[in-house]
Amino acid sequence: IQLPQTSDITSVDVTVGENTTNHSDTAWISEIISDISSSEPTSKQSVQDFPQTESYIKIDFQFETGTSTIFAYEENGKHYIEQPYQGIYKLKFNLSIQRSCFRA
């Protein structure tokens, strides 16, 4: 998975359904990057702008000059991170993605 350096991120927007929260705390950003970076590649391909699942969490990493988006979702009891057109990655542990994305 290709993740930005924590120092390059100005904030992270997390969208679940219609609700978006913004996180700019560097400790929180560092923790979420660490959690996501532990994911493992799968043989599944990402071929669209959005995951092919009904329910997902959109995570936008904001930079001085743009945005990088990934998606998190659960499928068959397993948690995945999808980076559009890059790949689908399985988290090594059952991270409660929604809880971690919304913790203060």
Side-chain angles (χ1 to χ4, degrees), residues 27-92:
W28 186 92
I29 292 171
S30 195
E31 187 174 340
I32 204 74
I33 290 289
S34 177
D35 288 348
I36 293 169
S37 67
S38 70
S39 60
E40 300 174 336
T42 68
S43 58
K44 300 177 183 184
Q45 293 185 346
S46 175
V47 295
Q48 298 189 113
D49 292 335
F50 296 92
Q52 295 180 346
T53 184
E54 284 185 30
S55 179
Y56 55 82
I57 297 169
K58 182 179 177 190
I59 304 168
D60 292 312
F61 298 106
Q62 305 291 338
F63 311 104
E64 297 274 335
T65 58
T67 303
S68 176
T69 301
I70 63 172
F71 298 91
Y73 58 92
E74 184 178 347
E75 186 175 87
N76 299 323
K78 297 179 180 159
H79 292 97
Y80 294 94
I81 298 293
E82 183 164 341
Q83 195 166 32
Y85 304 102
Q86 297 294 319
I88 299 174
Y89 306 85
K90 181 178 174 250
L91 290 170
K92 288 183 181 179

Side-chain angles (χ1 to χ4, degrees), residues 1-3 8 11-12 16 22 24-25 43 45 48 50 58 62 68-69 71 77 83 95-96 102-104:
I1 192 163
Q2 298 174 358
L3 294 172
D8 294 337
S11 67
V12 178
V16 178
N22 178 276
S24 57
D25 176 63
S43 58
Q45 293 185 346
Q48 298 189 113
F50 296 92
K58 182 179 177 190
Q62 305 291 338
S68 176
T69 301
F71 298 91
Q83 195 166 32
L95 168 72
S96 175
F102 285 98
R103 77 179 158 243

